Amino acid sequence: MGFTEAAPGSVMIEMGGTMVLCTATVEEKTPPWMVGKGGWVTAEYAMLPGSSSPRIRRDHYQKGRAKEISRLIGRSLRAVVNLKAMGDCSIRVDCDVIQADGGTRTAAITGGWLAMIEALAWAASRGIANAEAGFDQVAAISVGMVEGEVLLDLDYRDDHAADVDLNVVMAGRGLLVEVQGTAEGALFDRADLDRMLDLAEKGISELFSVQRQALGQ
Amino acid sequence: MGFTEAAPGSVMIEMGGTMVLCTATVEEKTPPWMVGKGGWVTAEYAMLPGSSSPRIRRDHYQKGRAKEISRLIGRSLRAVVNLKAMGDCSIRVDCDVIQADGGTRTAAITGGWLAMIEALAWAASRGIANAEAGFDQVAAISVGMVEGEVLLDLDYRDDHAADVDLNVVMAGRGLLVEVQGTAEGALFDRADLDRMLDLAEKGISELFSVQRQALGQ
Amino acid sequence: MGFTEAAPGSVMIEMGGTMVLCTATVEEKTPPWMVGKGGWVTAEYAMLPGSSSPRIRRDHYQKGRAKEISRLIGRSLRAVVNLKAMGDCSIRVDCDVIQADGGTRTAAITGGWLAMIEALAWAASRGIANAEAGFDQVAAISVGMVEGEVLLDLDYRDDHAADVDLNVVMAGRGLLVEVQGTAEGALFDRADLDRMLDLAEKGISELFSVQRQALGQ
Amino acid sequence: MGFTEAAPGSVMIEMGGTMVLCTATVEEKTPPWMVGKGGWVTAEYAMLPGSSSPRIRRDHYQKGRAKEISRLIGRSLRAVVNLKAMGDCSIRVDCDVIQADGGTRTAAITGGWLAMIEALAWAASRGIANAEAGFDQVAAISVGMVEGEVLLDLDYRDDHAADVDLNVVMAGRGLLVEVQGTAEGALFDRADLDRMLDLAEKGISELFSVQRQALGQ
Amino acid sequence: MGFTEAAPGSVMIEMGGTMVLCTATVEEKTPPWMVGKGGWVTAEYAMLPGSSSPRIRRDHYQKGRAKEISRLIGRSLRAVVNLKAMGDCSIRVDCDVIQADGGTRTAAITGGWLAMIEALAWAASRGIANAEAGFDQVAAISVGMVEGEVLLDLDYRDDHAADVDLNVVMAGRGLLVEVQGTAEGALFDRADLDRMLDLAEKGISELFSVQRQALGQ
Amino acid sequence: MGFTEAAPGSVMIEMGGTMVLCTATVEEKTPPWMVGKGGWVTAEYAMLPGSSSPRIRRDHYQKGRAKEISRLIGRSLRAVVNLKAMGDCSIRVDCDVIQADGGTRTAAITGGWLAMIEALAWAASRGIANAEAGFDQVAAISVGMVEGEVLLDLDYRDDHAADVDLNVVMAGRGLLVEVQGTAEGALFDRADLDRMLDLAEKGISELFSVQRQALGQ
């Protein structure tokens, strides 16, 4: 935490080889659809060109995918914030992938939550926002099936070999925020889904502990 | 089926007020990563400006979301095609929403499969593709929870009231292709997820019957 | 008429193999240059990717041509509307080509007028617009010369063989709104132009009858 | 003629207050659809920001209109060139409006023809093209109706007051290349059209004399 | 001066084969950061497609470089204007390269200053601006080293052979506004820099004389 | 050095509050103008949205400036590489500003050189490039004048107060690669320029020591 000082929230999260810098900034205005109704939280996700090998072209090549992930992160963070009670401001969480080795979107959610909480506390200390609006933790993890076996937090190598890829976003009370499962190589049945969800739940409860430690709780 | 004649596959699918025109065209080339390895199936999704009220701005306003849905449709169709056995050609399925009343992406998958099968048969009759490569059916449906109740195929009104929105894509043998569940207003637990998946499975088996009828089977 | 229900005006016009879906929507505001001076009518024209063979690339490939046609449709519709008397609102007519077999721009004008009149009536019933502002009919047709012979409403095959291509837009009282004649293969003289205009006038008077029937007049 | 030296054809045409710089350049390749079949002629039209008052925004604001005019110029020039006999090269005519006072598109055609002929002669002298391929002159003029009166070559003031605006492109043998008539304020009848075409024909025959003088003929 | 009449300031500057048309227009508003604080001066630089051989692609190919030069011209002009005393208006100087033969950016600054002064006088005569705000002259020249020799105002041929390229912008009192020196082929030492600056100073004092003559001083 | 592992060269350079991540990647191809003539080095510079306060909009807002800086970095690095001797490959140096507190472009050059050298060694160890091609060090620093006083390496606060801003890029033998001096608030004379260059030279020699230490020399 506090990796940089320019933004009120700044977290460098590392999971395996994956490194994501999450910075959260605060603006004292809200988008048109929330004016007079509360605050807003949004996210932007991008990969640095040198974060992966071969190098990723800046701008061009994966815009649609990056926007899809940006929306996922934004939805996940908003799910644990009481927007109405938050105050008339917006928090924008930028998640820039410094190094990619699988699970960048889930690392961005887990780290982005920490940056958002930092920014919310910063804004509360200035009387702009209500820190209580962040009512729960949120974290995410990827699970996969490789040759019939269920694996947690796939790195890049496993990710490409996986038959099924499941991203799970959970809130602190064991509730589901988002479930995205995709058959990559082989289809999966309901029993597979259950086994993957069980494993994800365990992994996420560990992430919750790490988040609380980072906040000194 | 056969709504237009310019494209080898052409299906107008209506589900409630939702209307999606799915056209499938064939090109005798494959993208760089499949050259010499087989065929390819891809999809593009877009909404006509007058398909919704208020009118949707052409081009601008929802590009990221449209690309996300395009990729979902493409992945779903490829899950039931043996690309290696398909032959050196590409099928492109365009899903243009004529009228939107909830569930446009799932209607696009269900109708897009029919258009793809038509195009595959057309290409097979010209010796370009192998019709057997399409080894299974695929269809999709949305399920939701509104005030604790599980509902099938939400229309636009229900969709906006829903606490949870779950899109399920299934293949003909009861296997899962894609599961995308999102907490919109309230979080959900594993039991809710199970109830929604049960209902989706029933709905999709009906869609499979309708698909087979449309093909005269 | 009434092909869809999401937009107040919705017309599917078919001329030979050509199918154009014209939807008209109403906004209670006017562009900057008309504020306080009356209403406005504008149009957008586009081809669906599967409307032609080979498939048309979405967005990219014919943007300039599509905008040129959009402006032509807009000018043609405004020529028969008394903008000052129309009320402080805008009607936007979207013309999406479902299938292209020649004459898509002229079909869009003829069908677009019906959609505009529907939308105007809808807006008048809500007190937003004055239905009397639409003071005349407008319709359009293409005429061409193929090997010295004058032909009405060229389909795609004739269109490509034509030496001259003339698009004529006429109002209900036999007056000209727009004349666009282009030598494609051979130049033409004044006598040729007269013969083509005579034929266009006959064709358009038939279109006026069809329009009145569609409106139940 | 010869306003600049960087391009093989370079003509500054002035008509009233309107000034258009037409430069023609030659490339020893042809677009895909003409490879092995002959040469090609194309045009690009743009207005300098300071050419009009108020200033015109660079790039943004009138792209569609500029492309429409570019295509008109290109079609008009190609109408008097025997592409098959021209040789395997392309001539590109850039028409940049230095000052706009009405009739910029017609001035661009009239001046663009001179630049094209210069470039063709230049290319012929290098053995790249066949100068005989330019078999005829082409010139253009705008005619309009203001309060019932037919006027030639409207300047900006007249242009905005005009009820009808007619652009006529003619080849040297009195044949029509392009006729574009638009009702701006009032509709027009066939007799009006004839009167405007008569006047245009006179004006264009004068332009042909000026073109021949410029070429020293 | 007065090359065109549409813009209040209009100067065609020729230096060797280089021709740049500089037009200056006035708007009675200022950018957000100057509202209530004074006026603003900005510039845009572009090359006409036919200004160089081979032809330059419109729009695409050198956008970054054109923006860099635009900013340089804007900074240079603002350095000799007292923005606070100028009045609530903006002057925009468009520098369009008609023919390029080396030194286009420096010609644009030297000519752009004349156009700006003309526009300032025009605006002052209408009570919009204060002509005294332009408190000094500004002009620019390029110097280079070719095989160890220092040369003034390199044309295109020299420019490409130069080992060092130095652009110098100076105000009327012998003061420096901008110094941009770049090693193209060989590095340079402080003594080289001094020799180049000496030569530039001489060249610029001649340009100041020409500017004063053009203004009739 | 070695901040990440995905790219062969990876350096996080900190100067005051400024942090720039420089990654260098190698491609075994060269741009069209160098094919068969040697290798190439290029750079891209960008600021992360959260690197500055207020937040910087991704993509939009400073594209021109970022490209200008990218070109400066690329030129500076190429000045100390013997491209002909380098081998048929390209090194691309991405400089992403993690935190901005003045002098980001000069930090990017100093750190980018280290990343380039790492990548060159990596490529040489694989037989792709010749490590000797990097024949000299290059580093850069900014100098400024604030109220008549000459200051080294301005932070953001000083940078905005500076009357003159001078960026100096030097090679290891005390030779100049690039000099960019800009009058921001007050013009400067030749004596000021000399004082600033003296100070820059001292600062850069210290940077050279740090670079050599980082490389273990």
Side-chain angles (χ1 to χ4, degrees):
Chain A
M1 305 207 39
F3 188 77
T4 58
E5 289 167 18
S10 174
V11 174
M12 175 73 91
I13 184 167
E14 297 190 33
M15 293 190 66
T18 290
M19 299 166 75
V20 183
L21 176 59
C22 306
T23 55
T25 48
V26 181
E27 255 192 319
E28 282 187 70
K29 65 178 184 184
T30 47
W33 60 88
M34 286 305 287
V35 169
K37 296 184 194 161
W40 191 245
V41 176
T42 186
E44 286 187 20
Y45 166 99
M47 293 177 82
L48 293 200
S51 65
S52 188
S53 173
R55 178 182 180 273
I56 293 166
R57 278 187 56 187
R58 208 176 287 269
D59 284 354
H60 213 64
Y61 140 93
Q62 57 163 15
K63 274 192 164 164
R65 187 177 159 267
K67 282 195 185 159
E68 177 178 345
I69 297 175
S70 297
R71 275 194 303 273
L72 168 65
I73 301 169
R75 283 196 310 266
S76 299
L77 296 176
R78 286 192 297 274
V80 294
V81 174
N82 183 342
L83 296 174
K84 285 181 189 164
M86 178 182 163
D88 292 336
C89 64
S90 299
I91 295 181
R92 189 180 289 268
V93 180
D94 286 288
C95 303
D96 288 275
V97 178
I98 302 294
Q99 189 162 260
D101 188 32
T104 58
R105 78 184 69 188
T106 51
I109 291 169
T110 306
W113 180 79
L114 281 168
M116 178 185 76
I117 290 299
E118 269 199 310
L120 203 54
W122 178 90
S125 73
R126 270 154 192 75
I128 301 165
N130 171 10
E132 306 297 307
F135 62 83
D136 203 347
Q137 286 176 264
V138 74
I141 208 154
S142 70
V143 205
M145 290 185 66
V146 181
E147 296 176 18
E149 199 183 349
V150 175
L151 294 177
L152 193 67
D153 192 23
L154 283 66
D155 65 15
Y156 181 80
R157 192 172 310 225
D158 291 334
D159 200 2
H160 271 235
D163 291 325
V164 184
D165 185 23
L166 181 76
N167 289 293
V168 181
V169 186
M170 273 192 170
R173 295 155 297 155
L175 292 172
L176 289 158
V177 175
E178 190 101 19
V179 176
Q180 293 192 341
T182 300
E184 303 276 350
L187 306 182
F188 56 107
D189 61 21
R190 295 277 296 271
D192 295 331
L193 180 61
D194 277 328
R195 285 195 295 150
M196 291 189 283
L197 286 169
D198 289 343
L199 188 61
E201 206 163 341
K202 278 189 204 154
I204 285 176
S205 70
E206 287 179 44
L207 292 174
F208 284 144
S209 303
V210 175
Q211 283 182 335
R212 283 190 300 265
Q213 283 170 23
L215 290 174
Q217 296 174 354
Chain B
M1 303 205 41
F3 188 77
T4 58
E5 288 167 18
S10 175
V11 173
M12 174 74 90
I13 183 166
E14 297 190 32
M15 293 191 65
T18 291
M19 301 167 73
V20 183
L21 177 59
C22 306
T23 56
T25 48
V26 181
E27 255 191 318
E28 282 187 70
K29 65 177 185 185
T30 47
W33 60 90
M34 286 305 287
V35 168
K37 296 184 194 162
W40 192 247
V41 176
T42 185
E44 285 188 21
Y45 166 98
M47 294 178 81
L48 294 200
S51 66
S52 187
S53 174
R55 179 182 180 272
I56 294 166
R57 278 187 58 186
R58 205 176 289 270
D59 286 352
H60 214 65
Y61 141 94
Q62 59 164 14
K63 274 193 162 162
R65 187 178 157 268
K67 282 195 184 159
E68 177 178 344
I69 298 176
S70 298
R71 274 193 302 273
L72 168 65
I73 301 170
R75 282 197 309 267
S76 299
L77 296 176
R78 284 192 298 273
V80 294
V81 174
N82 184 341
L83 296 174
K84 285 181 190 164
M86 180 182 159
D88 292 336
C89 63
S90 299
I91 296 181
R92 189 179 290 267
V93 180
D94 286 288
C95 303
D96 287 275
V97 178
I98 301 294
Q99 189 163 258
D101 188 32
T104 58
R105 78 184 70 187
T106 50
I109 292 168
T110 307
W113 180 79
L114 282 167
M116 178 186 76
I117 290 298
E118 270 199 309
L120 202 53
W122 178 91
S125 72
R126 269 153 192 76
I128 302 166
N130 170 11
E132 306 297 306
F135 62 83
D136 203 348
Q137 286 177 265
V138 73
I141 207 153
S142 70
V143 205
M145 291 186 64
V146 181
E147 296 176 16
E149 198 183 350
V150 175
L151 294 177
L152 193 67
D153 192 24
L154 283 66
D155 64 15
Y156 181 80
R157 191 172 311 224
D158 291 334
D159 201 2
H160 271 235
D163 290 325
V164 185
D165 185 23
L166 181 75
N167 289 292
V168 182
V169 186
M170 274 191 169
R173 297 155 295 156
L175 291 174
L176 289 158
V177 174
E178 189 101 19
V179 176
Q180 292 193 342
T182 300
E184 304 275 349
L187 306 182
F188 57 106
D189 61 22
R190 296 276 297 270
D192 296 331
L193 180 62
D194 278 327
R195 286 194 295 149
M196 291 189 284
L197 285 169
D198 289 342
L199 189 59
E201 206 163 340
K202 278 189 203 156
I204 285 175
S205 71
E206 286 178 45
L207 292 174
F208 284 144
S209 304
V210 175
Q211 282 181 336
R212 284 191 300 265
Q213 283 171 24
L215 291 173
Q217 298 174 350
Chain C
M1 305 209 33
F3 188 77
T4 58
E5 288 166 18
S10 175
V11 173
M12 175 74 91
I13 184 167
E14 297 189 32
M15 293 190 66
T18 291
M19 299 167 73
V20 183
L21 176 59
C22 306
T23 55
T25 48
V26 181
E27 256 192 317
E28 283 187 68
K29 66 176 184 184
T30 46
W33 60 90
M34 287 304 288
V35 168
K37 296 185 194 160
W40 191 246
V41 176
T42 185
E44 285 187 21
Y45 166 98
M47 293 178 82
L48 293 200
S51 66
S52 188
S53 174
R55 178 181 180 273
I56 294 167
R57 278 187 59 186
R58 207 177 288 270
D59 285 353
H60 214 63
Y61 141 93
Q62 59 164 12
K63 275 192 161 163
R65 187 178 159 267
K67 282 196 185 160
E68 176 177 345
I69 297 175
S70 298
R71 274 194 302 273
L72 167 66
I73 301 169
R75 282 197 309 267
S76 299
L77 296 176
R78 285 193 297 274
V80 295
V81 173
N82 182 341
L83 296 174
K84 286 182 189 163
M86 178 182 163
D88 292 337
C89 64
S90 298
I91 296 181
R92 189 180 290 266
V93 180
D94 286 288
C95 302
D96 287 274
V97 178
I98 302 295
Q99 189 163 260
D101 188 31
T104 58
R105 78 183 70 188
T106 50
I109 291 168
T110 307
W113 180 78
L114 282 167
M116 178 185 77
I117 290 298
E118 270 198 310
L120 202 54
W122 179 90
S125 73
R126 269 152 193 78
I128 301 166
N130 170 12
E132 306 298 306
F135 62 82
D136 203 348
Q137 286 176 266
V138 73
I141 208 153
S142 69
V143 206
M145 290 186 65
V146 181
E147 295 176 17
E149 199 183 349
V150 175
L151 294 178
L152 193 66
D153 192 23
L154 283 65
D155 64 15
Y156 180 80
R157 191 172 311 224
D158 292 334
D159 200 2
H160 271 236
D163 290 325
V164 185
D165 185 22
L166 181 76
N167 288 293
V168 182
V169 186
M170 273 192 170
R173 295 154 296 154
L175 292 173
L176 289 158
V177 174
E178 189 102 17
V179 176
Q180 292 192 341
T182 299
E184 304 275 350
L187 306 181
F188 56 106
D189 61 22
R190 296 277 297 272
D192 295 330
L193 181 62
D194 278 328
R195 284 194 296 149
M196 290 189 283
L197 286 169
D198 288 342
L199 188 60
E201 205 163 343
K202 277 190 203 153
I204 284 176
S205 70
E206 285 178 45
L207 291 174
F208 284 144
S209 302
V210 175
Q211 282 181 335
R212 282 191 300 266
Q213 283 170 25
L215 291 173
Q217 295 174 354
Chain D
M1 304 204 42
F3 188 77
T4 57
E5 288 166 18
S10 174
V11 174
M12 175 73 91
I13 182 167
E14 297 190 34
M15 293 189 66
T18 290
M19 299 166 75
V20 183
L21 176 59
C22 306
T23 55
T25 48
V26 181
E27 256 191 319
E28 282 186 72
K29 65 177 185 185
T30 47
W33 60 89
M34 286 305 287
V35 169
K37 296 184 194 162
W40 191 246
V41 176
T42 185
E44 285 188 21
Y45 165 99
M47 293 177 81
L48 293 200
S51 65
S52 187
S53 173
R55 179 183 179 271
I56 293 166
R57 277 187 58 188
R58 209 175 286 269
D59 283 354
H60 213 64
Y61 141 93
Q62 58 163 14
K63 275 193 162 163
R65 186 177 159 269
K67 282 195 185 160
E68 177 178 344
I69 297 175
S70 297
R71 275 195 301 273
L72 168 65
I73 300 170
R75 282 198 309 267
S76 299
L77 296 177
R78 285 192 298 275
V80 293
V81 174
N82 184 343
L83 297 174
K84 285 180 191 165
M86 178 181 161
D88 292 337
C89 64
S90 298
I91 296 181
R92 189 179 289 268
V93 180
D94 286 288
C95 303
D96 287 274
V97 178
I98 302 294
Q99 188 162 260
D101 188 32
T104 58
R105 78 184 69 189
T106 50
I109 291 168
T110 307
W113 180 78
L114 282 168
M116 179 186 76
I117 289 300
E118 270 198 310
L120 202 54
W122 178 91
S125 73
R126 269 152 193 75
I128 302 165
N130 170 11
E132 305 298 305
F135 63 83
D136 203 347
Q137 286 177 265
V138 73
I141 209 154
S142 70
V143 206
M145 291 185 65
V146 181
E147 296 176 16
E149 198 183 348
V150 175
L151 294 178
L152 193 67
D153 192 24
L154 282 66
D155 65 15
Y156 181 80
R157 192 171 310 225
D158 291 334
D159 200 2
H160 270 235
D163 290 326
V164 184
D165 184 24
L166 181 76
N167 289 293
V168 181
V169 186
M170 273 191 169
R173 296 154 296 155
L175 292 173
L176 289 158
V177 174
E178 190 101 19
V179 175
Q180 292 193 340
T182 299
E184 303 276 349
L187 306 182
F188 56 107
D189 60 22
R190 295 277 297 271
D192 295 331
L193 180 62
D194 278 328
R195 286 195 294 150
M196 290 189 284
L197 286 169
D198 289 342
L199 188 60
E201 207 164 340
K202 278 188 204 156
I204 285 175
S205 69
E206 287 178 45
L207 292 175
F208 283 144
S209 304
V210 176
Q211 283 181 335
R212 282 191 300 264
Q213 284 170 23
L215 290 174
Q217 296 174 352
Chain E
M1 304 205 41
F3 189 76
T4 58
E5 288 165 19
S10 175
V11 173
M12 175 74 91
I13 183 166
E14 297 190 33
M15 292 190 65
T18 290
M19 300 166 73
V20 182
L21 176 59
C22 306
T23 56
T25 48
V26 181
E27 255 191 318
E28 283 187 69
K29 66 177 184 185
T30 46
W33 60 88
M34 287 304 289
V35 168
K37 296 185 194 160
W40 192 246
V41 176
T42 186
E44 285 188 19
Y45 165 99
M47 293 177 82
L48 293 200
S51 65
S52 188
S53 174
R55 179 182 179 272
I56 293 166
R57 278 186 60 185
R58 206 176 288 270
D59 285 354
H60 214 64
Y61 141 93
Q62 59 164 12
K63 274 191 162 165
R65 186 178 159 267
K67 282 194 185 160
E68 178 178 344
I69 298 176
S70 298
R71 274 193 303 274
L72 167 65
I73 301 170
R75 281 198 309 267
S76 299
L77 297 176
R78 285 192 298 274
V80 294
V81 174
N82 183 343
L83 296 174
K84 285 181 190 163
M86 177 182 162
D88 293 337
C89 64
S90 298
I91 296 181
R92 189 180 289 268
V93 180
D94 286 288
C95 303
D96 288 274
V97 178
I98 301 295
Q99 189 162 259
D101 188 32
T104 58
R105 79 184 69 188
T106 50
I109 291 169
T110 307
W113 180 79
L114 282 168
M116 178 185 77
I117 290 299
E118 269 198 309
L120 203 53
W122 178 91
S125 72
R126 270 153 192 76
I128 301 166
N130 170 12
E132 306 298 305
F135 62 83
D136 203 348
Q137 285 176 266
V138 73
I141 208 153
S142 70
V143 204
M145 290 185 65
V146 180
E147 295 175 18
E149 198 184 350
V150 175
L151 294 178
L152 192 68
D153 192 24
L154 283 65
D155 66 14
Y156 181 80
R157 191 172 311 224
D158 292 332
D159 200 2
H160 270 235
D163 290 325
V164 184
D165 185 24
L166 180 77
N167 289 292
V168 181
V169 186
M170 273 191 170
R173 295 156 296 155
L175 292 173
L176 289 158
V177 175
E178 189 102 18
V179 176
Q180 292 192 340
T182 299
E184 303 276 351
L187 306 183
F188 56 106
D189 60 22
R190 295 277 297 272
D192 295 330
L193 181 62
D194 278 328
R195 285 194 296 148
M196 290 188 283
L197 286 169
D198 289 342
L199 188 60
E201 206 163 340
K202 277 189 203 153
I204 285 176
S205 70
E206 286 178 46
L207 292 175
F208 284 144
S209 303
V210 176
Q211 282 181 336
R212 283 191 300 265
Q213 282 170 23
L215 290 174
Q217 296 172 354
Chain F
M1 303 206 40
F3 189 76
T4 57
E5 288 165 19
S10 174
V11 173
M12 175 74 90
I13 183 167
E14 296 190 33
M15 293 190 65
T18 291
M19 300 166 73
V20 183
L21 177 59
C22 307
T23 55
T25 48
V26 181
E27 256 191 319
E28 283 186 69
K29 65 176 186 187
T30 46
W33 59 90
M34 286 305 287
V35 169
K37 296 184 194 161
W40 191 245
V41 176
T42 185
E44 285 188 19
Y45 166 98
M47 294 177 82
L48 292 200
S51 66
S52 187
S53 173
R55 179 183 180 271
I56 293 167
R57 279 186 58 185
R58 208 176 286 270
D59 285 353
H60 213 65
Y61 140 93
Q62 60 165 14
K63 275 191 161 164
R65 187 178 159 268
K67 283 195 184 158
E68 177 178 344
I69 297 175
S70 298
R71 272 193 304 273
L72 167 65
I73 301 169
R75 281 197 310 267
S76 300
L77 297 176
R78 284 192 298 274
V80 294
V81 174
N82 183 341
L83 296 174
K84 286 182 190 164
M86 177 182 163
D88 292 336
C89 64
S90 299
I91 295 182
R92 189 180 291 267
V93 180
D94 286 288
C95 303
D96 288 274
V97 178
I98 302 295
Q99 189 162 259
D101 188 32
T104 58
R105 78 184 69 188
T106 50
I109 291 168
T110 307
W113 180 78
L114 282 168
M116 179 185 76
I117 290 299
E118 270 199 310
L120 203 54
W122 178 91
S125 72
R126 269 152 192 77
I128 302 166
N130 170 12
E132 306 297 306
F135 62 83
D136 203 347
Q137 285 176 267
V138 73
I141 207 154
S142 68
V143 205
M145 290 186 65
V146 180
E147 296 176 16
E149 198 182 350
V150 175
L151 294 177
L152 192 68
D153 192 24
L154 283 65
D155 66 14
Y156 181 81
R157 192 172 311 225
D158 292 333
D159 200 3
H160 271 236
D163 290 325
V164 184
D165 185 23
L166 181 76
N167 289 293
V168 181
V169 186
M170 273 191 168
R173 296 155 295 156
L175 292 173
L176 289 158
V177 175
E178 189 102 19
V179 174
Q180 292 192 340
T182 300
E184 303 276 350
L187 306 182
F188 56 107
D189 60 22
R190 295 277 296 272
D192 295 331
L193 181 61
D194 278 328
R195 285 194 296 150
M196 291 188 283
L197 286 169
D198 289 342
L199 188 60
E201 205 162 341
K202 278 187 203 157
I204 285 176
S205 70
E206 286 178 46
L207 292 174
F208 284 144
S209 304
V210 176
Q211 282 181 337
R212 283 190 300 264
Q213 282 171 23
L215 291 174
Q217 296 173 353

